[in-house]
Amino acid sequence: MVPVAAMGMLVLAGCAVTPEPLTQAENDSRVQTDLNRLFANQEKIDGPLTLDDAIARALKYNLDHRLKLMEEAVSMGQLDVANVNLLPDVVAKTGWTTRNNRDSTYNEQKTSTSVSSDRSIRKTDLSVSWNVLDFAIGYMRAHQQADLALIVSERRRQVIHSVVNQTRGAYWRAVAADRALKSFDQVLERVRGSLGRSQKQVDEGIGGQLEALSYQEDLLVTLRELEARRRQLVEARTELAVLMNIHPDSEFTLVDSTTEAHSLPAIAMSSDQLELEALHNRSELRSEAYQLRINQRDSKIALIQMVPGLNFSAGINHTTDSYKVNSRWYDGALNLSWNLMQVFKAPANMKLADSQIELSKVRSLALSMAVISQVNIAQLRFNHALDDFKLADQISSVQDRIVKSMQAQRSANTVGESDAIRAEVRSLLSGLQRDMAYADLQAAYGQVFASIGVDPLPRDVADDSVDSIAQAIHTVMNQWQNGEYDASGIAVADDVQQQPAEQQTVMTGTDKQAMQ
């Protein structure tokens, strides 16, 4: 026994598991594989991007959205498993037994023996069993899993709304960056040149020292502000690239960067209608409704578990034992079992289920109030953003006129270089603030639709190409502009639909002056 025990200890020691960190080669291989997969199988950008193109790429390639797609697929797979578990158990077994002597038995007087089976026997059977109680509980669990799959789908809708809204804001910020960067380098060069000339005058002692140093201070403050703004503008393009899941260093152009006039968005529905849409469409409220159904089925399961279980079974058997008169036979059984402890557990389980139902109802009310407040806050932010943009547009128009006047006076040598540079910098920053205000307006406009939970994609898309998705998004965006919302089959009633909102056009300062 001692050698056997020692051998067993050696075997167990050899099977002990110890932590094994990744080797350098394995880690390098992992990184290379991830990099290859990160941007693989993506359609190339072959032209300037519109807002619809950017949103389409974000929806198709954004990793957060793809993660939710995989979670939804896993949830549907779990539902398939739950449905399969409703089927009866079908078990096939085969086995072989042997012994070193015969299975002999004495007679009553123990004067003789008889053999009742062979020394080596092979048995095979195929049995089917079905428990009615397990089926009922499994049926309820399958319904709960179906509701869980719907909850995962609603979470995916939340991610879609978030991705679309973030892409909309990032796109218009990138447009503002492109428009501003065209003039930034030229203005920065003029500021640095003027700063160098001023420093030279100070070094040579030409003119008033205090006035020159004050001028240098103004130029340095201006230079710092311009450099900070420039870094923010570069980050705007990086943010958009990340949302579209392309490398941040990738080169791409935006259609609206070359457009001087953009239409002002408008909301074609009243607050009450938007609130009603939000209560119908918001994924959080739908998810809570599905969770309520899950909790209600928990209460039914607590009742079903008190019922005795009825089990049916049938099978076909075969043996190679030569001493058996019938080597093949069929059998069946009907069993009734009752777990009496479930009777005592049922009140506590039912009380817990009822508490969860009430909690879900109260949570739904709290979410409804939160959704209503979010809709109203989104409207307020949109109105404030609209007012801010109009004011920024007026300021930019005035600054453009000041610059033109300064340039004319500069040509006549009636104003100094410092005043001309200050006017040019202010005009550049006011134009940037106007474009950023428009980006904030577009983001607030998108937040309104996110707050009411409408989906940016129709239920039917021609195919999964970027062009088809972009075309579908363009159609939906136009419908939104006209007050036509449809979220997963929930449409607005005919009596609450509004007429198309008037398209307002924003004119830059240059366009306004040309009109004047």
Side-chain angles (χ1 to χ4, degrees), residues 99 101-117:
R99 54 186 297 162
N101 51 24
R102 292 185 177 277
D103 184 12
S104 302
T105 57
Y106 282 111
N107 60 3
E108 189 175 356
Q109 293 78 20
K110 295 186 177 181
T111 58
S112 62
T113 61
S114 62
V115 177
S116 59
S117 64

Side-chain angles (χ1 to χ4, degrees), residues 16 21 49 140 182 191 220 241 254 271 323 359 448 478:
L49 294 175
M140 290 293 181
K182 294 176 182 177
V191 171
L220 288 172
L254 305 176
S271 296
Y323 288 89
L359 175 63
V448 171
N478 288 338

Side-chain angles (χ1 to χ4, degrees), residues 101-150:
N101 51 24
R102 292 185 177 277
D103 184 12
S104 302
T105 57
Y106 282 111
N107 60 3
E108 189 175 356
Q109 293 78 20
K110 295 186 177 181
T111 58
S112 62
T113 61
S114 62
V115 177
S116 59
S117 64
D118 295 331
R119 289 174 57 187
S120 297
I121 303 173
R122 182 171 60 83
K123 294 181 179 180
T124 305
D125 65 78
L126 178 65
S127 61
V128 179
S129 61
W130 189 55
N131 190 290
V132 177
L133 180 60
D134 290 343
F135 172 80
I137 295 176
Y139 184 74
M140 290 293 181
R141 297 296 186 197
H143 275 289
Q144 289 180 321
Q145 186 59 50
D147 288 334
L148 286 174
L150 292 173

Side-chain angles (χ1 to χ4, degrees), residues 33 56 64 128 151 268 270 337 400 406 409 428 433 442 445 466:
T33 301
D64 290 335
V128 179
I151 290 175
S270 65
S337 61
D400 288 343
M406 280 287 186
Q409 295 182 31
L428 176 63
Q433 290 171 353
Q442 285 287 345
Y445 182 62
V466 171

Side-chain angles (χ1 to χ4, degrees), residues 187-188 190-192 194-196 198-199 202 209-227 417-423 425-426 429:
V187 174
L188 282 171
R190 290 196 59 187
V191 171
R192 291 192 181 100
S194 180
L195 183 61
S198 176
Q199 182 63 41
V202 171
Q209 296 292 308
L210 182 59
E211 181 181 356
L213 291 174
S214 298
Y215 179 51
Q216 282 189 34
E217 182 185 12
D218 292 341
L219 290 176
L220 288 172
V221 171
T222 301
L223 184 62
R224 183 180 64 179
E225 183 177 1
L226 289 175
E227 290 289 358
E417 181 185 24
S418 60
D419 293 333
I421 290 178
R422 289 191 187 99
V425 170
R426 286 173 186 157
L429 293 180

Side-chain angles (χ1 to χ4, degrees), residues 25-91:
E26 291 173 337
N27 202 31
D28 293 342
S29 176
R30 177 191 60 81
V31 171
Q32 189 61 42
T33 301
D34 290 345
L35 287 176
N36 292 336
R37 295 181 59 190
L38 196 58
F39 307 109
N41 302 323
Q42 293 190 12
E43 298 180 37
K44 293 183 178 180
I45 300 177
D46 54 2
L49 294 175
T50 63
L51 175 61
D52 301 328
D53 295 332
I55 293 177
R57 285 188 167 274
L59 288 179
K60 185 172 182 179
Y61 301 124
N62 184 267
L63 294 179
D64 290 335
H65 182 220
R66 287 160 66 180
L67 176 62
K68 289 301 178 182
L69 277 175
M70 292 304 301
E71 289 179 357
E72 185 177 7
V74 170
S75 181
M76 294 305 296
Q78 291 172 342
L79 176 59
D80 294 338
V81 172
N83 287 328
V84 173
N85 288 336
L86 297 177
L87 299 176
D89 294 330
V90 180
V91 181

